[in-house]
Amino acid sequence: MTVKVFQEKDVEAAVPFRVMEDDGTADTRLEPELSSEDLHFLYETMVLNRELDDRLLRMQRQGRIGFYLTGLGEEATHIGSTFALEPTDWVFPAYRELGAALVRGFPLVEFVCQIFGNSGDITKGRQMPNHYASPSLRISSLSSPVGTQLPHAAGCAWAAKIKGEKTVAITYFGEGATSQGDFHVALNFSGVFKLPVIFFCRNNLWAISVPLSRQTASRDIAVKAQAYGIAGVRVDGNDVLAVYQVTREAARRARAGEGATLIEAITCRMGPHSSSDDPRLYREEKDLEEWRQKDPIARFQRYLRWKGIWDEAYEKNLREKIQIRIAEAISKGESFPPPPLESLFEDVYSTVPWHLEEQRLELLALRKEAKH
Ligand SMILES: Cc1ncc(C[n+]2csc(CCOP(=O)(O)OP(=O)(O)O)c2C)c(N)n1
């Protein structure tokens, strides 16, 4: 008797979906129906994201802020996908999706205040930099432990389903997060309960110094969806239009009651993991060369030129406007004082327990003393 063993190679590997060629031309049958205004918005948001990242990383190097994380090279993944959703859909970010917040209109000054952790930050300086949140924009506060946002998104989608709302939840994470138990829990639960949730994996090939080859023995990330009975799709993560298309389809399925989708967007983390990392210690500069040619912003710019809606004057004007916006946001954001000291004792208990009240009074007395 021969035992039939199922192997991954029995299933055909999915070729990542793409709309734009590297030279900026596109298959017109695959192009999304987006107006010139929409296309410009996408491009401008990607450029703003990159310029902000560049500026803030330099500020960290100058010692003006403590820590920073960029999304360098991955802008198309989160900007294209958030733009494909409704403003009423919930976003559960990791820490590299500033562009998703910019698509939603997150105010730049508030963003800068969050990075400084000062009194202009709605989270009162209690989170690490890049851990912004906005209940009104439906952007959840994220947790630093890798992967915890996946069950949060599944729970949010479950609540929406119970209430009979058409809301979709999207959550972002790197391929490193797929090694966490939370990934299994969230995908399994979403499969069983057919939840309106999108699991968006930015497969940027590195989890700090751990390469993709050490993260999984699977052929790819999207194939894992099969084990949980949900849809899986691979997409070129440096093609903003392809990302938009696959996310739109995942959202349509979710709203139609067809359940969850795992999207694997293939891209590359072009910068360091964070301002505390030196990638020269574990990866070769030459490995990035091929990816530099695939830069998502340069590629989209070639597409806009091919469509006849980009020229040098537009670019020059855009860059100037963005520089002014960033400079104004930084100078305003940097001017806020730190959060009030006594705010340390707020927001945990509705009635502050006696021992914390004692500590609060002691702290205020010490501060008074220090001022004299
Ligand atoms: C549970 C847990 N383990 C380890 C860390 C330290 N850590 C922070 S980010 C990170 C790598 C995550 O890589 P990935 O999920 O691929 O996302 P990327 O940073 O590449 O976007 C690690 C190990 C953490 N924050 N939480």
Side-chain angles (χ1 to χ4, degrees):
M1 175 197 160
T2 345
V3 178
K4 175 85 181 121
V5 179
F6 172 79
Q7 290 194 337
E8 213 180 59
K9 64 180 169 54
D10 298 339
V11 185
E12 215 179 297
V15 177
F17 178 72
R18 70 199 313 238
V19 172
M20 282 185 277
E21 295 305 321
D22 293 342
D23 65 3
T25 58
D27 182 337
T28 48
R29 288 164 306 177
L30 303 178
E31 277 181 291
E33 282 179 26
L34 291 174
S35 64
S36 301
E37 201 185 356
D38 289 338
L39 294 170
H40 277 150
F41 176 78
L42 281 171
Y43 181 70
E44 290 166 19
T45 310
M46 287 167 78
V47 174
L48 174 62
N49 186 167
R50 184 158 301 179
E51 295 281 349
L52 257 175
D53 274 352
D54 178 62
R55 187 68 183 272
L56 285 154
L57 187 63
R58 279 191 285 127
M59 279 172 64
Q60 194 281 335
R61 299 301 188 225
Q62 292 164 350
R64 280 155 81 190
I65 55 178
F67 177 80
Y68 194 72
L69 285 144
T70 77
L72 186 64
E74 300 180 45
E75 296 88 350
T77 59
H78 47 275
I79 291 174
S81 50
T82 309
F83 190 66
L85 301 177
E86 298 298 324
T88 43
D89 293 332
W90 274 94
V91 178
F92 290 79
Y95 38 67
R96 222 180 275 296
E97 295 91 16
L98 166 61
L102 297 175
V103 168
R104 287 279 166 101
F106 200 99
L108 290 197
V109 175
E110 260 181 49
F111 173 69
V112 172
C113 289
Q114 199 284 323
I115 299 293
F116 278 98
N118 64 29
S119 56
D121 168 22
I122 61 161
T123 53
K124 303 185 182 179
R126 291 173 187 164
Q127 278 274 40
M128 281 178 76
N130 293 84
H131 290 49
Y132 37 83
S134 172
S136 61
L137 299 176
R138 298 208 161 186
I139 299 173
S140 144
S141 179
L142 58 117
S143 336
S144 285
V146 169
T148 45
Q149 69 274 27
L150 278 76
H152 298 167
C156 174
W158 194 26
K161 184 168 177 166
I162 291 168
K163 288 182 184 163
E165 293 171 358
K166 287 287 172 198
T167 316
V168 171
I170 190 166
T171 180
Y172 295 97
F173 48 96
E175 78 293 344
T178 66
S179 300
Q180 294 289 97
D182 284 345
F183 173 80
H184 168 80
V185 167
L187 270 69
N188 190 56
F189 195 89
S190 303
V192 172
F193 290 92
K194 259 192 173 322
L195 300 183
V197 56
I198 302 170
F199 297 102
F200 195 107
C201 178
R202 295 175 287 91
N203 180 358
N204 64 13
L205 312 176
W206 293 91
I208 312 187
S209 56
V210 179
L212 177 64
S213 58
R214 285 286 184 196
Q215 209 60 252
T216 181
S218 285
R219 182 186 63 216
D220 54 56
I221 302 292
V223 72
K224 293 172 191 265
Q226 290 183 9
Y228 303 100
I230 68 171
V233 58
R234 301 184 82 215
V235 64
D236 180 335
N238 286 21
D239 178 340
V240 69
L241 300 181
V243 169
Y244 172 85
Q245 292 287 52
V246 297
T247 314
R248 229 176 121 74
E249 173 57 12
R252 185 205 62 72
R253 292 185 63 257
R255 277 187 244 284
E258 293 169 32
T261 304
L262 169 63
I263 297 176
E264 176 189 3
I266 298 126
T267 183
C268 183
R269 194 197 80 211
M270 297 301 288
H273 169 74
S274 72
S275 54
S276 312
D277 174 45
D278 181 359
R280 290 172 304 178
L281 297 174
Y282 57 81
R283 73 177 183 189
E284 300 281 339
E285 190 52 28
K286 65 175 168 44
D287 295 346
L288 299 183
E289 207 31 62
E290 191 192 327
W291 283 99
R292 266 194 205 104
Q293 306 307 318
K294 299 182 191 169
D295 185 289
I297 297 181
R299 185 160 158 205
F300 194 38
Q301 188 189 89
R302 289 194 283 274
Y303 171 81
L304 297 181
R305 188 204 287 247
W306 177 70
K307 296 285 275 185
I309 54 172
W310 181 94
D311 60 22
E312 299 285 351
Y314 163 79
E315 184 74 16
K316 188 167 174 284
N317 183 33
L318 171 67
R319 298 274 173 177
E320 276 169 14
K321 274 205 282 202
I322 284 179
Q323 289 308 332
I324 293 170
R325 268 187 79 189
I326 293 177
E328 281 175 1
I330 291 174
S331 96
K332 193 152 182 219
E334 211 171 1
S335 70
F336 279 74
L341 200 54
E342 54 274 29
S343 72
L344 274 173
F345 298 88
E346 291 167 3
D347 305 320
V348 177
Y349 297 97
S350 56
T351 313
V352 179
W354 65 266
H355 63 286
L356 287 184
E357 182 55 16
E358 247 182 38
Q359 289 174 29
R360 189 178 74 84
L361 294 174
E362 194 180 339
L363 188 70
L364 293 180
L366 279 170
R367 186 176 59 182
K368 209 169 166 190
E369 227 174 83
K371 278 188 181 161
H372 289 298

